[in-house]
Amino acid sequence: MGAPGRSAAFAFRLEPVLRARRWTEDEKVLALSRARMRRAATVERLRALQREAAVCHRALTETAGEGATGALLSRLARAVESLAQEEAATVSLLHAEDSQVERARADLIEAARGRKVLERLKERQHDSHRQWVEAASRRQADDLASAHHLWTGSVPSPARAPRS
């Protein structure tokens, strides 16, 4: 049944590489997930800062309208300014995290592409192997049928063929 160097069982020689590609892709999925979670936390922090800054700004305007002392107004103004600086830093961090999310997404796409290439190669080789096994099985069946006919005399031999 066999051709030299081939066995009936299919073995993909690049299976360890395919496994490594799958692991790499899984790691990239986790990296993207972590980047998205960091970004979501930063967005939430930015919203909280904006709410807090709005509250401080309202308090400053209300206090200024009531005729508060300069020290209190100065303290409220510093709080508003501090929150504005923290908000600007958080916006910068958000932009950096957006870049990290995009980089993680691109890395995941590249890892998936590499895995898919290997899986298509494995599928093609598996189909080729299956066709080879089927052809070998047909050849073996043909050989057995021919041998059976020769042994049972069902096929006229050249010596017994009728002469014309």
Side-chain angles (χ1 to χ4, degrees):
M1 165 155 132
R6 288 190 109 165
S7 69
F10 174 72
F12 185 53
R13 291 182 186 203
L14 296 176
E15 190 65 39
V17 176
L18 180 58
R19 255 192 321 273
R21 292 286 179 134
R22 286 180 182 141
W23 292 334
T24 300
E25 185 179 4
D26 290 345
E27 290 171 358
K28 300 300 179 184
V29 167
L30 292 174
L32 178 59
S33 176
R34 285 190 296 268
R36 284 180 173 170
M37 288 188 323
R38 282 191 306 270
R39 185 188 181 286
T42 301
V43 166
E44 187 55 39
R45 175 70 180 138
L46 181 61
R47 288 180 183 148
L49 285 170
Q50 290 169 338
R51 285 189 301 268
E52 191 175 348
V55 167
C56 282
H57 193 270
R58 269 194 310 273
L60 177 63
T61 47
E62 289 172 3
T63 306
E66 295 171 354
T69 64
L72 179 59
L73 290 175
S74 176
R75 191 169 3 117
L76 287 172
R78 280 194 309 271
V80 168
E81 185 179 321
S82 173
L83 287 170
Q85 289 173 351
E86 192 174 347
E87 183 180 334
T90 304
V91 166
S92 294
L93 178 62
L94 183 59
H95 290 305
E97 287 177 353
D98 283 342
S99 296
Q100 289 175 351
V101 166
E102 287 306 313
R103 192 172 333 118
R105 184 177 290 121
D107 290 347
L108 175 58
I109 289 168
E110 185 62 31
R113 189 174 293 135
R115 176 194 50 81
K116 285 178 184 178
V117 165
L118 282 173
E119 284 181 346
R120 282 192 300 259
L121 177 63
K122 179 181 180 179
E123 188 61 34
R124 279 191 218 125
Q125 287 183 359
H126 188 262
D127 288 345
S128 174
H129 181 267
R130 183 183 41 76
Q131 290 170 358
W132 174 83
V133 167
E134 288 171 0
S137 179
R138 282 191 303 272
R139 281 191 306 274
Q140 186 178 25
D142 291 347
D143 289 347
L144 286 173
S146 296
H148 174 73
H149 288 300
L150 284 174
W151 282 102
T152 60
S154 302
V155 176
S157 66
R160 288 197 268 152
R163 296 184 190 202
S164 6

